[in-house]
């Protein structure tokens, strides 16, 4: 018995060490964020932590975070949405067209110029419809999400180009006599000194967090990603849930398109090119499993901030854009490696605790 | 079966004089949530069938995985021929001559039979390309040896599950093994196929191969085993010669309970007609019917047993009723109200709920917690406004945990950390929270241990007493006979017999289940039937 008396203290010390490591690994996205911010805060002192810069970075993050929020829903079901970047471009172009050209109704020979509010509603509705088409193709025809949304990526980008033959809609300020001014406020406007796009991100993140954690729909999203067949046999309407998930993704992408078009006061058909990859990276960095069923909105937001801060920080540090790509890529892969390490670690810690107890 | 009492072996390490080929010493394995093995000493006797038995979660499979190098022990040593070995992975085990047939099928469905048998051990021509001809011929020989008629080029996904198990066995035989671990090799085999397997096991024994054999089928164990080792809660309870013990002794050691109390059910009150099914039909792709114009009534408080051979359509009947097969036709009434909805969620809304046959694939959402799994089918009942109310959720879960005595430390634990029996209880809990009228249990006792089985029986009986209509499906004749107030027997998609509790006997059920099959069941391949019952 003498030897066993000595054991617990040694074990519990080991426990605390593993506890710390566990804490570090679990909060890795957050810690990565602190490290990245800390690094640039020191190397780029003082301008990196200036109010102006924080706002610029947050504005950049907001765009990616919005896409990533929608993408989180999709990935939680075990799907993927490659079309969001193109839908960003398409929405921007639709908004641009509605402001500069209006809706031409040939039968009546009139041109309708919708107000800015109507423009937002129409372009968001169309983007959501494109998401719904994704979901429809995936659920009714059993097309793999990768393929269905890859197709939509081309289709939406093609439409974006067609709307103005590949040209930009410039100077989207509207005309007072048409009562369609004010579009630029969406990107430039502020509430309590904070840019609208950041507010939109905050609201979307909170709503998405509530949906994923506190509604049957959210629970169903996780269940489908975890075991689609079981979910179906439990009475979860799998097809409807999946359809909604792609609609949410399109809906989020629409706001990104509007924000960008508004900030630039112009809509270019290539807007949002490859944005889908940044969004996926943010989701994965935030600890959501590409296989579905595991992950969180909170993680995604942190993931988006890591990518955003890293990107802007590297630009400000005058790192060549090629090195930026190398670093970003390495960070993403590293994140997934740590994810795997953490999963194994967690299992081992549970074992230790088990041994402690019995 | 012998009925003598046991002579308890005295020394714990090697109580028998027979030579030991493999010795596992003080093996401990800890998983999150459980101590799977606790200081287990296990001897494998040379050229014998060493049977390992215990309830689910007793640690049998874990011990085998450790011996086969699939898992590493938390502590302990393994000695092969008195030399300590370290089996880091399955290839290292194979190099030592240890082969394993896994409990879960481990075949690649997209590859052919021959490709599966030689997977990772491909025979090469000039060290480069695969010698397909050689592999095919040897596969054919192996399959013939197992008295089967399976084309070596057939895709594994095209085989029925019993044939897949045969391929799994053939794969183990293709290796040169001196110790062969068989983890529930007969779970999907017909009687004739089991007889062939036992013949092969006896041949292997004659060649000096030591067998470790795991199964839940107790009489089968005494038939084939030489030594029987019993595990309970990760601890070794006892090892005895098979000749010295009986089924009753095994059950007693396994659960520590008197087995007579396990399968007992008293007569009970049966109420009004609860569900009426008329002309339920499910066409088979390519002609004929999977479910052939089936009509029956189910009463409140009744346990209706559904018996039939594999492929007789019993699972398909409940699948149709549950709304899983949208192409099914037929009429269903509950309390004289027609059930119109055809989807799963609509059927659940009407009060018809299914506990599916395949717990892992169809019953559980693995990454989710016990809490979330139990609530999955009834989330709408636990909301306030637009949002879920955590308090209400928790209350409902706690009540179910208590009502079904689900053994779980914390309901936020992952569902995968529970034993099979407790997982099954969670699936039943999920079904009950939908406030059903008709509860359909498709093989609820499959792959769970004797103790959990009797608990599931108790729960089922209690539910019937509370007025639920219960449809109970099992391949085990004894289970159907003990549980049911009334039994419907199916064959080839049609109902071929109906028996009250008093009328039903094993013979009658078997006879009715073979209607339209001639003498042998369709599930049994013709080549094997001649060997039936002679081992």
């Amino acid at each position: 018995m003498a030897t066993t008396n000595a054991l617990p203290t040694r074990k519990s010390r080991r426990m605390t060490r593993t506890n710390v490591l566990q804490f570090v690994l679990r909060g890795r996205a957050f810690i990565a964020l602190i490290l990245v911010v800390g690094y640039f805060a020191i190397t780029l002192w003082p301008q990196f932590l200036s109010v102006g810069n924080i706002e610029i970075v947050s504005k950049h993050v907001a765009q990616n975070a919005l896409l990533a929020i929608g993408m989180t829903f999709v990935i939680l079901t075990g799907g993927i949405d490659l079309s969001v970047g193109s839908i960003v471009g398409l929405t921007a172009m639709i908004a641009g067209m509605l402001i500069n050209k209006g809706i031409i109704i040939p039968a009546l020979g009139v041109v309708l110029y919708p107000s800015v509010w109507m423009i937002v509603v129409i372009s968001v509705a169309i983007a959501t419809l494109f998401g719904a088409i994704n979901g429809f193709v995936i659920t009714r025809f059993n097309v793999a999400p990768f393929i269905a949304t890859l197709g939509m990526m081309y289709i939406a980008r093609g439409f974006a180009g067609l709307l103005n033959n590949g040209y930009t809609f410039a100077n989207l300020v509207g005309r007072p006599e048409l009562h369609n001014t004010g579009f630029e406020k969406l990107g430039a406007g502020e509430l309590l000194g904070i840019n609208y796009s950041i507010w939109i991100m905050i609201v979307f993140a909170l709503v998405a967090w509530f949906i994923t954690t506190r509604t049957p729909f959210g629970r169903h999203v996780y269940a489908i990603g975890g075991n689609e067949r079981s979910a179906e046999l439990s009475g979860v309407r799998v097809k409807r849930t999946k359809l909604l998930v792609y609609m949410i993704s399109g809906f989020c992408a629409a706001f990104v398109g509007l924000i960008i078009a508004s900030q630039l006061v112009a809509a270019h058909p290539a807007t949002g090119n490859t944005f889908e990859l940044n969004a996926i990276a943010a989701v994965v960095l935030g600890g959501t499993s590409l296989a579905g069923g595991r992950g969180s909105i909170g993680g995604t937001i942190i993931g988006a901030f890591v990518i955003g801060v890293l990107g802007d920080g590297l630009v400000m540090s005058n790192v060549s854009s090629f090195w930026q790509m190398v670093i970003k890529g390495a960070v993403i892969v590293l994140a997934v490696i740590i994810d795997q390490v953490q999963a194994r670690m967690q299992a081992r810690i549970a074992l230790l605790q088990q041994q402690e107890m019995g | 079966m012998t009925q003598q009492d046991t002579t308890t072996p005295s020394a714990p390490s090697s109580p028998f004089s027979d030579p030991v080929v493999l010795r596992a010493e003080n093996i401990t394995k800890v998983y999150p949530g459980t101590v799977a093995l606790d200081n287990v000493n296990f001897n494998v006797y040379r050229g014998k069938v060493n049977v390992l038995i215990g309830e689910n979660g007793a640690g049998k499979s874990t011990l085998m995985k450790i011996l086969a190098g699939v898992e590493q022990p938390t502590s302990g040593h393994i000695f092969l021929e008195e030399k300590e070995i370290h089996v880091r992975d399955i290839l290292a085990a194979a190099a030592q001559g240890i082969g394993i047939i896994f409990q879960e099928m481990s075949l690649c469905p997209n590859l052919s039979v021959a490709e599966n048998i030689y997977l990772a051990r491909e025979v090469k021509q000039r060290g480069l390309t695969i010698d397909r001809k050689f592999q095919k011929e040897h596969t054919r020989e192996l399959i013939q040896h197992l008295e089967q008629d399976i084309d070596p080029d057939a895709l594994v996904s095209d085989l029925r599950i019993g044939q897949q198990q045969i391929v799994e066995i053939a794969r183990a035989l293709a290796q040169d093994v001196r110790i062969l671990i068989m983890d529930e090799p007969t779970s999907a085999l017909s009687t004739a196929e089991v007889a062939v397997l036992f013949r092969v096991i006896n041949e292997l024994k004659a060649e000096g191969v030591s067998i470790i054999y795991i199964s839940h089928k107790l009489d089968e164990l005494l038939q084939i085993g030489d030594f029987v080792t019993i595990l309970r809660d990760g601890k070794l309870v006892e090892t005895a010669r098979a000749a010295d013990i009986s089924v009753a002794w095994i059950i007693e050691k396994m659960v520590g309970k008197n087995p007579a109390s396990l399968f007992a059910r008293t007569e009970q009150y049966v109420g009004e007609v609860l569900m009426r099914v008329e002309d339920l039909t499910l066409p088979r792709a390519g002609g004929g019917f999977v479910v052939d114009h089936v009509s029956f009534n189910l009463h409140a408080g009744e346990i209706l047993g559904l018996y039939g051979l594999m492929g007789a359509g019993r699972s398909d009947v409940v699948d149709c009723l549950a709304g899983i097969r949208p192409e099914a036709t037929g009429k269903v009434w509950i309390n004289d109200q027609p059930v119109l909805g055809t989807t799963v969620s609509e059927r659940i809304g009407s009060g018809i709920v299914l506990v599916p046959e395949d717990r892992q694939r169809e019953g559980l959402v693995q990454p989710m917690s016990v809490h979330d799994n139990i609530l999955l089918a009834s989330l709408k009942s636990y909301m306030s406004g637009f949002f879920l109310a955590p308090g209400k959720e928790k209350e409902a879960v706690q009540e179910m945990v208590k009502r079904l005595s689900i053994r779980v430390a914390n309901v936020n634990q992952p569902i995968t950390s529970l034993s099979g029996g407790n997982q099954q209880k969670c699936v039943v809990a999920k079904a009950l929270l939908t406030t059903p009228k008709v509860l359909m249990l498709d093989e609820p006792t499959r792959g769970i241990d004797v103790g959990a089985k009797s608990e599931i029986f108790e729960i089922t009986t209690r539910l019937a007493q509370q007025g639920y209509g219960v449809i109970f499906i099992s391949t085990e004749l004894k289970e159907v006979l003990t549980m049911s107030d009334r039994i419907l027997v199916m064959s080839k998609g049609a109902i071929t017999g109906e028996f009250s509790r008093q009328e039903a006997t094993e013979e009658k059920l078997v006879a009715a289940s073979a209607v339209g099959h001639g003498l042998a069941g369709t599930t049994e391949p013709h080549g094997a039937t001649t060997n039936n019952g002679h081992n």
Side-chain angles (χ1 to χ4, degrees):
Chain A
M1 288 316 283
T3 48
T4 50
N5 279 342
L7 268 173
T9 47
R10 208 189 53 191
K11 263 192 186 164
S12 54
R13 209 176 306 133
R14 195 174 61 205
M15 276 297 299
T16 51
R17 230 186 306 145
T18 47
N19 277 350
V20 170
L21 191 51
Q22 171 80 349
F23 179 76
V24 167
L25 285 177
R26 225 184 245 165
R28 65 195 174 278
F30 201 62
I31 290 165
L33 181 61
I34 292 169
L35 286 180
V36 172
V37 172
Y39 175 78
F40 289 121
I42 294 166
T43 55
L44 298 170
W45 184 262
Q47 72 266 38
F48 192 79
L49 285 187
S50 67
V51 174
N53 190 53
I54 287 175
E55 173 144 27
I56 289 170
V57 172
S58 298
K59 269 161 81 175
H60 290 161
V61 168
Q63 295 168 12
N64 190 22
L66 280 174
L67 286 182
I69 287 169
M71 187 70 77
T72 305
F73 282 92
V74 173
I75 290 180
L76 278 176
T77 64
I80 193 110
D81 189 350
L82 300 178
S83 66
V84 289
S86 297
I87 289 179
V88 167
L90 179 64
T91 322
M93 289 301 284
I94 289 170
M97 186 185 74
L98 290 175
I99 291 172
N100 283 10
K101 285 188 173 172
I103 305 167
I104 301 158
I105 303 174
L108 301 174
V110 292
V111 179
L112 288 179
Y113 285 94
S115 69
V116 168
W117 278 112
M118 278 310 292
I119 288 168
V120 170
V121 170
I122 293 169
S123 39
V124 168
I126 292 174
T128 312
L129 178 72
F130 271 68
I133 294 170
N134 274 334
F136 185 78
V137 170
I138 289 163
T139 54
R140 300 294 140 164
F141 302 109
N142 243 344
V143 177
F146 188 95
I147 300 300
T149 59
L150 180 71
M152 183 56 81
M153 181 175 107
Y154 286 108
I155 292 168
R157 185 65 70 196
F159 277 125
L162 283 171
L163 285 180
N164 202 19
N165 293 319
Y167 292 107
T168 302
F169 285 115
N171 198 24
L172 304 177
V173 288
R175 275 176 283 168
E177 68 270 27
L178 299 174
H179 303 291
N180 65 352
T181 54
F183 183 66
E184 72 281 358
K185 281 195 194 128
L186 185 65
E190 288 183 349
L191 179 67
L192 307 175
I194 293 171
N195 187 279
Y196 280 161
S197 67
I198 297 169
W199 280 115
I200 293 174
M201 169 181 73
I202 292 169
V203 170
F204 272 47
L206 285 176
V207 170
W209 180 74
F210 257 103
I211 290 174
T212 50
T213 57
R214 294 288 300 279
T215 65
F217 171 76
R219 204 65 69 70
H220 292 169
V221 166
Y222 279 92
I224 290 170
N227 187 342
E228 187 170 330
R229 179 91 184 137
S230 290
E232 194 171 5
L233 293 193
S234 301
V236 173
R237 274 175 274 190
V238 171
K239 288 186 172 172
R240 203 185 64 165
T241 309
K242 279 191 177 176
L243 184 72
L244 281 171
V245 151
Y246 288 94
M247 287 171 74
I248 291 173
S249 184
F251 181 85
C252 291
F255 276 87
V256 178
L258 290 173
I259 290 167
I260 293 176
S262 165
Q263 281 173 353
L264 300 175
V265 205
H268 187 266
T271 308
N273 203 10
T274 71
F275 275 22
E276 61 277 354
L277 300 180
N278 276 331
I280 294 168
V283 173
V284 171
L285 258 178
T288 297
S289 155
L290 275 180
R294 288 174 223 261
S296 68
I297 293 291
T300 294
I301 298 296
I302 293 172
F305 267 94
V306 172
I307 289 180
V309 170
L310 193 64
D312 284 9
L314 290 173
V315 170
M316 290 172 72
S317 311
N318 289 322
V319 174
S320 96
S321 64
F322 304 119
W323 273 116
Q324 286 179 35
M325 283 198 245
V326 172
I327 293 169
K328 254 196 212 176
V331 166
I332 289 163
V333 175
L334 192 71
V336 179
I337 292 173
I338 294 173
D339 197 46
Q340 296 294 329
V341 171
Q342 192 248 344
R344 231 171 301 159
M345 180 91 185
Q346 205 157 359
R348 251 214 325 269
I349 284 165
L351 296 188
L352 282 173
Q353 284 168 341
Q354 195 68 26
Q355 273 181 327
E356 293 267 288
M357 287 191 296
Chain B
M1 260 15 61
T2 50
Q3 286 295 328
Q4 343 166 343
D5 257 332
T6 58
T7 44
T8 322
S10 48
S13 58
S14 182
F16 307 104
S17 53
D18 303 65
V20 171
V21 56
L22 184 79
R23 191 155 53 90
E25 219 175 74
N26 301 328
I27 300 285
T28 297
K29 175 77 187 176
V30 187
Y31 284 120
T34 39
V35 180
L37 291 172
D38 188 3
N39 241 338
V40 169
N41 292 298
F42 178 59
N43 292 322
V44 179
Y45 296 95
R46 190 194 310 280
K48 302 287 183 203
V49 175
N50 301 267
V51 167
L52 197 57
I53 127 175
E55 297 198 17
N56 260 62
K60 308 170 304 250
S61 293
T62 310
L63 182 56
M64 291 309 100
K65 282 182 181 158
I66 287 172
L67 294 183
V70 182
E71 298 270 0
Q72 301 306 313
T74 311
S75 65
H77 307 276
I78 300 168
F79 299 91
L80 182 67
E81 311 275 11
E82 293 308 315
K83 266 206 338 248
E84 178 159 9
I85 55 166
H86 299 278
V87 274
R88 263 175 216 92
D89 53 37
I90 196 151
L91 285 175
Q96 300 280 1
I98 303 174
I100 184 164
I101 299 170
F102 287 106
Q103 181 179 5
E104 309 94 25
M105 305 271 172
S106 59
L107 302 173
C108 300
N110 55 336
L111 299 181
S112 77
V113 171
E115 283 165 335
N116 263 289
I117 285 180
Y118 285 97
L119 191 63
R121 286 174 287 113
E122 288 83 0
V123 180
K124 288 177 214 137
Q125 277 172 323
R126 279 167 257 118
L128 203 64
T129 53
I130 294 176
D131 190 343
R132 288 172 191 278
K133 221 177 112 202
F134 177 89
Q135 291 195 359
K136 236 161 86 177
E137 265 158 34
H138 280 252
T139 300
R140 188 166 287 128
E141 278 169 31
L142 282 168
I143 300 284
Q144 269 167 10
H145 190 65
L146 291 166
E147 295 178 26
Q148 293 294 311
D149 186 21
I150 304 171
D151 180 7
D153 286 329
L155 283 185
V156 162
S157 55
D158 292 340
L159 303 182
R160 62 184 177 79
I161 204 146
Q163 289 177 316
Q164 292 184 15
Q165 204 152 34
I166 295 281
V167 173
E168 191 107 17
I169 292 165
R171 175 156 79 166
L173 296 181
Q175 307 172 44
D176 222 2
V177 293
R178 50 179 162 173
I179 296 169
L180 180 57
I181 301 167
M182 299 180 157
D183 196 350
E184 300 214 38
T186 60
S187 59
L189 295 188
S190 68
T191 323
E193 287 161 343
V194 171
V196 174
L197 176 67
F198 283 6
R199 196 207 72 220
V200 172
I201 287 177
N202 283 321
E203 285 171 15
L204 289 171
K205 267 170 68 178
E207 290 164 22
V209 176
S210 316
I211 314 272
I212 305 173
Y213 191 96
I214 297 178
S215 174
H216 277 307
K217 300 180 180 169
L218 302 184
D219 35 4
E220 180 184 301
L221 296 176
L222 287 179
Q223 190 190 337
I224 190 71
D226 295 306
F227 290 95
V228 176
T229 300
I230 292 164
L231 285 178
R232 186 167 75 215
D233 298 333
K235 294 191 181 73
L236 189 134
V237 178
E238 192 115 40
T239 299
R241 280 184 198 276
D244 299 338
I245 59 175
S246 67
V247 170
W249 182 88
I250 294 177
I251 293 179
E252 194 195 305
K253 293 289 174 195
M254 274 170 71
V255 291
K257 266 191 225 166
N258 176 10
S261 70
L262 292 179
F263 305 125
R265 178 164 173 270
T266 47
E267 201 68 17
Q268 64 183 55
Y269 170 76
V270 171
E272 300 283 297
V273 171
L274 176 66
M275 177 169 73
R276 211 141 48 85
V277 178
E278 218 165 77
D279 239 13
L280 192 68
T281 305
L282 179 66
R284 185 190 298 280
F289 297 102
V290 179
V291 175
D292 192 357
H293 303 90
V294 165
S295 305
F296 64 89
N297 290 340
L298 175 71
H299 299 256
E302 180 183 41
I303 298 180
L304 178 64
L306 212 49
Y307 179 74
L309 298 172
M310 288 269 273
R314 55 203 154 84
S315 293
D316 303 282
V317 167
V318 288
D319 285 358
C320 291
L321 291 174
I324 300 170
R325 305 289 180 85
E327 66 273 28
T329 56
K331 289 179 185 152
V332 182
W333 289 266
I334 287 208
N335 290 333
D336 287 325
Q337 297 290 316
V339 174
L340 300 172
T342 50
T343 65
V344 178
S345 53
E346 285 168 325
R347 286 290 163 101
I348 289 177
S350 311
I352 306 177
V353 67
L354 170 71
V355 173
E357 182 180 5
D358 191 330
R359 190 167 53 245
Q360 294 302 332
R361 270 191 42 225
E362 308 190 318
L364 305 172
V365 179
Q366 285 80 0
M368 281 186 154
S369 66
V370 172
H371 174 274
D372 290 359
N373 264 288
I374 289 179
L375 289 170
L376 184 57
S378 54
L379 288 168
K380 299 239 151 58
S381 322
Y382 305 102
M383 295 176 71
S384 52
F386 287 113
F387 297 112
L388 290 165
K392 286 189 200 171
E393 287 185 281
K394 193 145 196 186
E395 201 179 311
V397 171
Q398 291 298 0
E399 203 217 304
M400 270 299 154
V401 166
K402 221 172 84 192
R403 194 166 148 200
L404 303 186
S405 50
I406 298 169
R407 274 184 288 283
V408 56
N410 179 345
V411 292
N412 293 318
Q413 233 169 285
I415 189 88
T416 44
S417 67
L418 301 192
S419 70
N422 280 307
Q423 288 180 358
Q424 184 68 296
K425 285 191 231 165
C426 290
V427 181
V428 174
K430 177 173 73 177
L432 290 180
L433 280 182
T434 64
T435 56
K437 299 184 181 82
V438 176
L439 184 66
M440 304 187 289
L441 306 168
D442 194 353
E443 299 259 10
T445 57
R446 188 193 198 187
I448 63 177
D449 58 73
V450 180
K453 268 183 192 174
S454 77
E455 274 185 279
I456 294 282
F457 292 154
E458 266 173 51
I459 290 165
T460 311
T461 312
R462 212 162 59 218
L463 293 173
Q465 276 162 2
Q466 288 160 14
Y468 293 97
V470 179
I471 297 180
F472 178 84
I473 295 182
S474 175
T475 34
E476 302 277 327
L477 266 173
K478 288 196 179 68
E479 284 187 14
V480 177
L481 283 167
T482 14
M483 286 305 294
S484 314
D485 297 305
R486 191 158 55 98
I487 299 168
L488 296 176
V489 183
M490 290 187 70
S491 177
K492 294 200 159 173
I495 292 181
T496 52
E498 179 176 345
F499 306 96
S500 71
R501 187 177 176 80
Q502 288 77 20
E503 304 168 335
T505 62
E506 287 195 27
E507 294 73 31
K508 282 184 189 166
L509 295 194
V510 170
S513 72
V515 169
H517 286 299
L519 283 175
T522 39
T523 52
E524 291 179 1
H526 298 296
T529 46
T530 46
N531 204 43
N532 207 344
H534 286 289
N535 275 46

